[in-house]
Amino acid sequence: MKLSVWTYEGPPHVGAIRVATGMRGVHLVLHAPQGDTYADLLFTMIERRNHRPPVTYTTFQARDLGADTADLFRRSCTDAVERFQPQALMVGASCTAELIQDDPAGMAETMGFDIPVIPLELPSYQRKENFGADEAFYQITRALARPMERSDAPSCNILGPTGLGFRHRDDVAEIAALLADMGVEVNVTAPMGASPEEIAELGRAHFNVLLYPETAESAARWCEKELGQPWTRTVPIGVGATRDFISEVQALLPGAKVPSEARLRLPWYSASVDSTYLTGKRVFLFGDATHVMAMARVARDEIGFEVAGLGCYNREFARPVRALAKEYGIEALITDDYLEVEARIRDLAPELILGTQMERHIGKRLGIPCAVISAPVHVQDFPARYSPVMGFEGANVLFDTLVHPLVMGLEEHLLTMFRDDFEFHDAAGPSHHGGQAVARVETGEGPAPRAPRGISGKMKEDEVLWLDAAEAELKKIPFFVRGKARRNTESFAMERGLGEISVDTLYEAKAYYAR
Amino acid sequence: MTEMPHINSGGCVDQPILRERGQHEVFCGLTSIIWLHRKMQDAFFLVVGSRTCAHLLQSAAGVMIFAEPRFATAILEETDLAGLADAQDELDREVARLLARRPDIRQLFLVGSCPSEVIKLDLARAAERLTEAHAPHVRVLSWSGSGIETTFTEGEDACLAAMVPGLPRGDSSNLLVVGALPDVVEDQARRLLADLGIAQVDWLPARRSDAAPQVGPNTRFILSQPFLGDTYAALERRGARPIAAPMPFGEEGTTAWLASIAQEFDIGPEHFARVTEAPRERARAAVARATETLAGKRIFFFPDSQLEIPLARFLARECAMEPVEVGSPFIHRQITAPDLALVPEGTPLSEGQDVDLQLDRLRAAAPDLTVCGLGLANPLEAEGLTTKWAIELVFTPVHFYEQAGDLAELFARPLRRKAALHLSPNTPGSARGWPLAGQPS
Ligand code: SF4
Ligand code: SF4
């Protein structure tokens, strides 16, 4: 048993629903109790879909338990096929149905439908949402795709985008346009937008573009083995990765053209002097492995941040994430417990967090600005406007996304210079986002006298006393680094066994930690 | 006193109900935890379930999940399924850790889920054992919010019913109001009941465990929510006597609800009129504004919370709407009788659900407003129907006089919005909308 309040991933059957909802012409029959239909609202609300997910839930109840549930399952399949007339039927079980052992797969296969029936194994007590999506797509591909003659024109498939994917809609558009620029046609995009008929045609493509390893790596590997299609290893997030991706495609298709970079603005924006202040800002990255690994490169090599820490919640990718962290000289955090993530962020005290919806809230709590770079996300991260994170336009989007939460360069400068002016005061907060403007409180006097601390009682061991002069000096440090300065100075003092912090201690600590 | 409507016959009381079994598009009882934990300030709700249960709570609680909520899920893992003895040990360990971390907790609810029910994990026994282990500081109770046994608000019923046997015994003739209401609403009702002159009014659930109400043979209780059938029965078993009344929605509902109490406590009609006159007037005026939008509009209810019948009654009688189908997950004949008596005769009623068949009926009826869950609302809007999502009716203060206008407004707003927008949404399936997956191809 594991106590949990917040989960980064849903159960595996939610992954299967993401695949089914992304596709056209399939229907998923899920053996599940009434109540599990809550998952529908992820698609209709967060992703704002205008149709019900193509899922029939058997919604068995306690009174059905026993032989009845198997019957219910069969009836649900018959009804779904009759009503929705899908080209293929997927069947699976949610966590409860897994326990009652009705064997949906076996039952559906013997029902004699004249459409393909694709059974899914979704081990709810071991695996999670991403696994469910990967497994569902793999099983569909395995069931429907067959080797066939390659298209005359150079072509590829785009694999991985699903329902409820972070920016999948626009990433696909961006990468398809990039490939078109290179003279490569997209044969099939799957699962998102694909019908079973189109899955059957996967084999026509010359190679596969794997956009999201989390949701389609198994299918890509199967295609490699059974259809002889190589697949791209670089996920084109950021300028460098997009260029590498282009080279990879050119290696696979030597005739492919070099796409235009005319609309790419990140490199110049990043080089312009307004961005100088971004240099060495310490960031912490957390999310799914693919986004974290790609964004780390953008953060360090394209924006000039220092990557202070990184990690992912999907254990399946622990190894590459650890390897990457090592390259960055840091230790990866592999966990699905947000309390551990919060603790790590607190320890590292970064100036910016790049994470999921959860890290956004952690950032709010700790007063650290945050940008969202990975699922799980809420409704605001399924935007109406075009906002890919892949390809060249994606790079532009990323520059804005990563920089906006921070106080802008010139502004940061002014804030320090005119720190005592009435508008640019300390309490205004570190970010334009989230915090509400706080009016300056005019006291007219110096800091209020501090309550005397226990004179006779022993001081708590891990407590150091700030002398008033040092406290006043600390206030002169810009507020966005003050928290770090305070912590650094305190640990500096503690390590040296100093009970008090004077102005000198403050500056000694500053020199000690200078980078 | 103004003439009280007749409440035990007429209307739809004896009308046949369409009973359906098929796919239900509803929440399970675990969802109740989201409002129960706000109400019971020293309680913690520990769901013993799967990742699905945790994910459901997270999806339904939305941003609340970040506010250090007093609920969590003990997610069953493979090893727990292998040996039930071990699962009990694991539970003890997790509970001990939790209580050490949250010393402010006085009541702990072990909440059963489908997985824990199916593997027959005995939470009742676990609760006894844990109560002993953590006495006297913490009391541990158990109930089931599983989807196989409970639908949405029935979770609250299961929770309150589990509390009833442990309530202290008392002989005073108190009034017990049953159902978790937002604090502001509870306070309004307290004032009204005090003004009527009822000496001792208690609430189930109480805000804190040390304020738990007494029950005894002189206790009379009244429901403030229609979905409390098991709690009703449990209180009767403790000798308390029920007061039948329509639910306190709208001016008429609130008045009838108070009048049933007044009758029971021998409060004179003049005094009753004096106390209720001003708030009745306010409520009528507030409802009248929304009624301009609602009058003559046809409304269709999908089953969700069991609030559907009293709400249909309110909308039909006070806002002049026409209910074309009133679906409810479960219809408790006795409890709903006073409301059913006031629903226009001949209104089609349905219990349970076969969602696809119900959608067929909906499309045929083409109502002006459809009350449904969040999984259906946007798809129906995309078909051109106007919807009001139902969960809001449970999360928002809607009971009693001062909320009557807000309640009507909740239904009027989608209609006014429809009229205010002068852009038709992208047609489904267009390049900019979503493709119509899952439709007949
Ligand atoms: S329906 Fe059952 S399995 Fe699903 S979330 Fe509710 S209690 Fe958990
Ligand atoms: S913003 Fe997120 S938490 Fe809030 S209602 Fe929407 S989906 Fe739920």
Side-chain angles (χ1 to χ4, degrees):
Chain A
M1 255 176 233
K2 182 157 184 344
L3 208 64
S4 135
V5 176
W6 209 83
T7 61
Y8 283 96
E9 290 182 71
H13 72 260
V14 168
I17 301 175
R18 286 177 54 186
V19 168
T21 304
M23 291 183 68
R24 290 178 300 123
V26 296
H27 199 87
L28 169 63
V29 175
L30 206 58
H31 205 15
Q34 79 157 350
D36 278 3
T37 55
Y38 79 87
D40 281 1
L41 71 86
L42 305 172
F43 299 88
T44 59
M45 296 302 288
I46 296 180
E47 203 181 9
R48 256 184 258 257
R49 295 239 166 204
N50 58 10
H51 55 82
R52 294 173 63 208
V55 185
T56 294
Y57 303 80
T58 56
T59 62
F60 55 83
Q61 288 171 274
R63 58 171 183 242
D64 302 320
L65 290 179
D68 223 346
T69 52
D71 204 47
L72 189 62
F73 176 80
R74 273 188 286 263
R75 236 182 308 135
S76 300
C77 288
T78 315
D79 287 355
V81 169
E82 195 174 302
R83 177 173 284 268
F84 299 104
Q85 300 177 8
Q87 297 169 25
L89 186 71
M90 296 156 71
V91 297
S94 82
C95 56
T96 307
E98 190 183 334
L99 299 174
I100 59 179
Q101 297 174 333
D102 272 341
D103 184 23
M107 283 190 285
E109 273 164 333
T110 57
M111 285 181 68
F113 292 120
D114 54 3
I115 51 170
V117 173
I118 302 156
L120 306 177
E121 283 296 337
L122 304 168
S124 306
Y125 298 90
Q126 293 155 286
R127 313 305 296 262
K128 298 179 214 158
E129 179 176 330
N130 279 332
F131 170 87
D134 185 78
E135 161 74 6
F137 183 46
Y138 162 68
Q139 292 299 348
I140 291 173
T141 307
R142 212 177 72 126
L144 302 176
R146 292 289 165 266
M148 57 178 65
E149 219 166 283
R150 302 281 187 246
S151 61
D152 293 339
S155 68
C156 68
N157 301 312
I158 294 181
L159 303 184
T162 63
L164 213 63
F166 175 68
R167 305 293 164 86
H168 287 194
R169 179 193 69 193
D170 297 342
D171 284 349
V172 167
E174 188 63 22
I175 295 308
L178 184 91
L179 289 163
D181 269 6
M182 298 180 72
V184 182
E185 238 168 61
V186 175
N187 177 51
V188 174
T189 300
M192 188 154 86
S195 63
E197 269 168 6
E198 287 171 322
I199 300 286
E201 307 267 294
L202 279 178
R204 205 173 297 289
H206 294 237
F207 67 99
N208 285 321
V209 168
L210 177 61
L211 282 195
Y212 306 103
E214 270 85 357
T215 50
E217 190 168 327
S218 300
R221 287 185 188 281
W222 184 88
C223 290
E224 181 176 42
K225 207 159 128 239
E226 303 296 326
L227 310 178
Q229 292 166 324
W231 48 283
T232 55
R233 301 303 204 266
T234 316
V235 177
I237 295 177
V239 181
T242 303
R243 289 178 182 150
D244 290 353
F245 170 80
I246 291 165
S247 311
E248 233 192 307
V249 170
Q250 284 174 320
L252 293 169
L253 276 183
K257 285 181 282 215
V258 182
S260 157
E261 292 191 4
R263 287 182 305 112
L264 174 63
R265 286 177 282 269
L266 179 144
W268 165 241
Y269 269 55
S270 200
S272 73
V273 293
D274 190 58
S275 300
T276 312
Y277 81 110
L278 299 172
T279 315
K281 288 237 186 255
R282 302 171 67 254
V283 297
F284 177 82
L285 298 104
F286 197 83
D288 69 46
T290 296
H291 284 91
V292 164
M293 291 194 289
M295 299 287 181
R297 179 173 175 188
V298 176
R300 186 185 67 178
D301 300 346
E302 302 180 11
I303 304 200
F305 291 149
E306 179 195 327
V307 175
L310 60 76
C312 72
Y313 55 76
N314 46 341
R315 258 166 221 291
E316 292 91 338
F317 289 74
R319 209 187 297 163
V321 170
R322 286 213 174 91
L324 182 86
K326 211 160 171 199
E327 243 175 72
Y328 279 65
I330 49 183
E331 204 192 320
L333 176 65
I334 313 291
T335 181
D336 59 0
D337 182 345
Y338 74 93
L339 292 173
E340 276 180 47
V341 179
E342 186 173 67
R344 181 67 65 93
I345 292 175
R346 210 185 283 273
D347 280 356
L348 292 172
E351 288 154 275
L352 176 68
I353 305 167
L354 304 178
T356 72
Q357 182 63 27
M358 192 55 203
E359 284 68 45
R360 185 183 357 237
H361 285 270
I362 292 173
K364 240 186 238 173
R365 202 154 21 198
L366 301 179
I368 303 171
C370 175
V372 170
I373 57 153
S374 157
V377 295
H378 272 320
V379 64
Q380 67 270 41
D381 280 300
F382 285 93
R385 65 175 186 277
Y386 185 57
S387 18
V389 294
M390 292 187 175
F392 294 136
E393 184 56 25
N396 296 337
V397 168
L398 281 182
F399 181 85
D400 292 347
T401 311
L402 269 51
V403 172
H404 274 184
L406 298 167
V407 175
M408 268 160 276
L410 189 57
E411 205 177 353
E412 175 173 317
H413 196 63
L414 292 174
L415 277 170
T416 324
M417 275 174 51
F418 303 119
R419 166 169 9 104
D420 293 324
D421 283 15
F422 80 100
E423 271 177 326
F424 296 128
H425 61 93
D426 283 358
S431 162
H432 293 300
H433 300 266
Q436 54 274 69
V438 179
R440 182 194 192 87
V441 185
E442 294 294 344
T443 56
E445 280 162 48
R450 150 206 330 270
R453 297 210 186 178
I455 310 170
S456 53
K458 260 207 332 207
M459 246 186 345
K460 268 198 267 149
E461 252 183 65
D462 56 349
E463 216 172 283
V464 261
L465 182 69
W466 282 80
L467 297 176
D468 287 343
E471 186 86 50
E473 194 70 13
L474 182 71
K475 282 255 165 70
K476 297 179 190 160
I477 296 172
F479 62 81
F480 36 82
V481 288
R482 194 180 305 147
K484 195 170 72 172
R486 179 185 288 279
R487 271 190 295 276
N488 282 353
T489 311
E490 284 171 3
S491 40
F492 178 85
M494 239 132 56
E495 273 165 31
R496 279 157 193 73
L498 305 174
E500 294 177 342
I501 293 171
S502 65
V503 176
D504 279 342
T505 325
L506 177 65
Y507 285 116
E508 273 161 29
K510 180 173 190 298
Y512 176 78
Y513 287 105
R515 41 163 199 256
Chain B
M1 180 158 44
T2 17
E3 62 327 319
M4 284 314 307
H6 228 356
I7 52 172
N8 285 317
S9 60
C12 290
V13 171
D14 300 312
Q15 190 171 307
I17 295 171
L18 171 65
R19 292 213 164 72
E20 277 185 331
R21 281 180 70 177
Q23 178 176 323
H24 289 199
E25 182 83 20
V26 289
F27 281 128
C28 61
L30 293 187
T31 326
S32 315
I33 292 172
I34 290 158
W35 65 86
L36 285 173
H37 94 281
R38 300 309 316 158
K39 186 74 206 175
M40 295 188 235
Q41 293 164 10
D42 55 5
F44 194 101
F45 296 80
L46 181 61
V47 175
V48 182
S50 63
R51 177 168 298 281
T52 311
C53 308
H55 195 237
L56 160 98
L57 282 174
Q58 171 172 328
S59 310
V63 292
M64 229 190 245
I65 204 92
F66 301 108
E68 299 240 346
R70 278 172 286 103
F71 61 78
T73 309
I75 296 184
L76 293 165
E77 290 168 331
E78 272 224 302
T79 45
D80 300 310
L81 303 178
L84 282 177
D86 296 346
Q88 295 279 7
D89 291 346
E90 289 270 304
L91 185 59
D92 290 2
R93 201 196 55 205
E94 287 300 332
V95 165
R97 271 177 44 189
L98 173 73
L99 292 176
R101 218 167 44 207
R102 301 291 304 258
D104 51 323
I105 299 307
R106 308 298 309 271
Q107 310 178 68
L108 176 68
F109 292 101
L110 302 179
V111 186
S113 65
C114 306
S116 76
E117 296 294 325
V118 167
I119 62 171
K120 301 204 159 52
L121 189 58
D122 191 344
L123 293 184
R125 225 187 56 210
E128 274 172 34
R129 194 176 61 233
L130 286 163
T131 296
E132 258 170 53
H134 298 279
H137 189 67
V138 188
R139 251 189 94 139
V140 185
L141 293 173
S142 74
W143 52 278
S144 171
S146 74
I148 55 176
E149 291 154 306
T150 58
T151 303
F152 195 28
T153 48
E154 283 172 1
E156 177 175 333
D157 189 26
C159 176
L160 300 190
M163 294 171 79
V164 170
L167 294 178
R169 210 193 121 85
D171 285 323
S172 53
S173 53
N174 58 340
L175 172 67
L176 181 59
V177 183
V178 189
L181 297 178
D183 288 352
V184 50
V185 176
E186 185 183 310
D187 292 341
Q188 289 169 13
R190 270 181 200 284
R191 276 196 297 274
L192 281 165
L193 293 168
D195 290 348
L196 283 176
I198 296 166
Q200 194 188 341
V201 183
D202 295 310
W203 297 76
L204 183 68
R207 290 180 206 186
R208 304 190 58 86
S209 54
D210 50 19
Q214 296 192 343
V215 209
N218 298 323
T219 299
R220 272 158 293 179
F221 70 92
I222 188 162
L223 303 187
S224 66
Q225 301 277 29
F227 45 73
L228 298 171
D230 286 351
T231 311
Y232 184 100
L235 283 167
E236 279 195 312
R237 278 197 296 275
R238 293 278 317 255
R241 274 181 297 133
I243 301 174
M247 293 303 142
F249 295 126
E251 183 273 316
E252 185 189 46
T254 306
T255 304
W257 189 83
L258 290 169
S260 306
I261 296 170
Q263 231 158 36
E264 197 60 38
F265 283 80
D266 289 328
I267 288 157
E270 274 133 56
H271 182 59
F272 184 85
R274 232 183 354 262
V275 170
T276 55
E277 200 166 2
R280 287 182 76 174
E281 197 42 55
R282 279 200 298 275
R284 270 195 230 115
V287 171
R289 277 194 294 280
T291 299
E292 285 167 25
T293 311
L294 297 175
K297 298 289 195 308
R298 302 165 68 246
I299 187 165
F300 192 111
F301 284 89
F302 277 73
D304 192 60
S305 60
Q306 297 186 46
L307 295 177
E308 298 82 5
I309 288 173
L311 288 175
R313 181 264 299 158
F314 162 67
L315 292 167
R317 291 178 59 99
E318 298 183 50
C319 304
M321 294 188 87
E322 184 194 331
V324 291
E325 176 169 335
V326 181
S328 177
F330 178 72
I331 297 178
H332 193 295
R333 280 284 194 178
Q334 191 180 4
I335 293 173
T336 45
D339 277 304
L340 274 177
L342 300 172
V343 172
E345 216 176 313
T347 300
L349 304 174
S350 60
E351 183 185 17
Q353 188 176 38
D354 185 327
V355 72
D356 288 310
L357 296 183
Q358 196 166 28
L359 284 166
D360 290 345
R361 292 200 297 279
L362 172 79
R363 291 180 183 118
D368 298 296
L369 189 62
T370 303
V371 183
C372 61
L374 289 174
L376 296 175
N378 271 335
L380 293 177
E381 290 280 348
E383 290 184 25
L385 291 155
T386 304
T387 62
K388 162 77 216 104
W389 48 285
I391 316 169
E392 200 177 6
L393 300 161
V394 179
F395 287 167
T396 314
V398 292
H399 291 70
F400 297 111
Y401 291 129
E402 312 306 342
Q403 281 65 239
D406 305 344
L407 176 58
E409 172 61 20
L410 285 180
F411 294 91
R413 194 175 302 139
L415 291 165
R416 281 199 282 105
R417 181 168 181 76
K418 206 24 107 33
L421 293 183
H422 288 91
L423 272 181
S424 53
N426 304 320
T427 46
S430 75
R432 286 165 195 286
W434 287 108
L436 274 180
Q439 297 298 312
S441 35

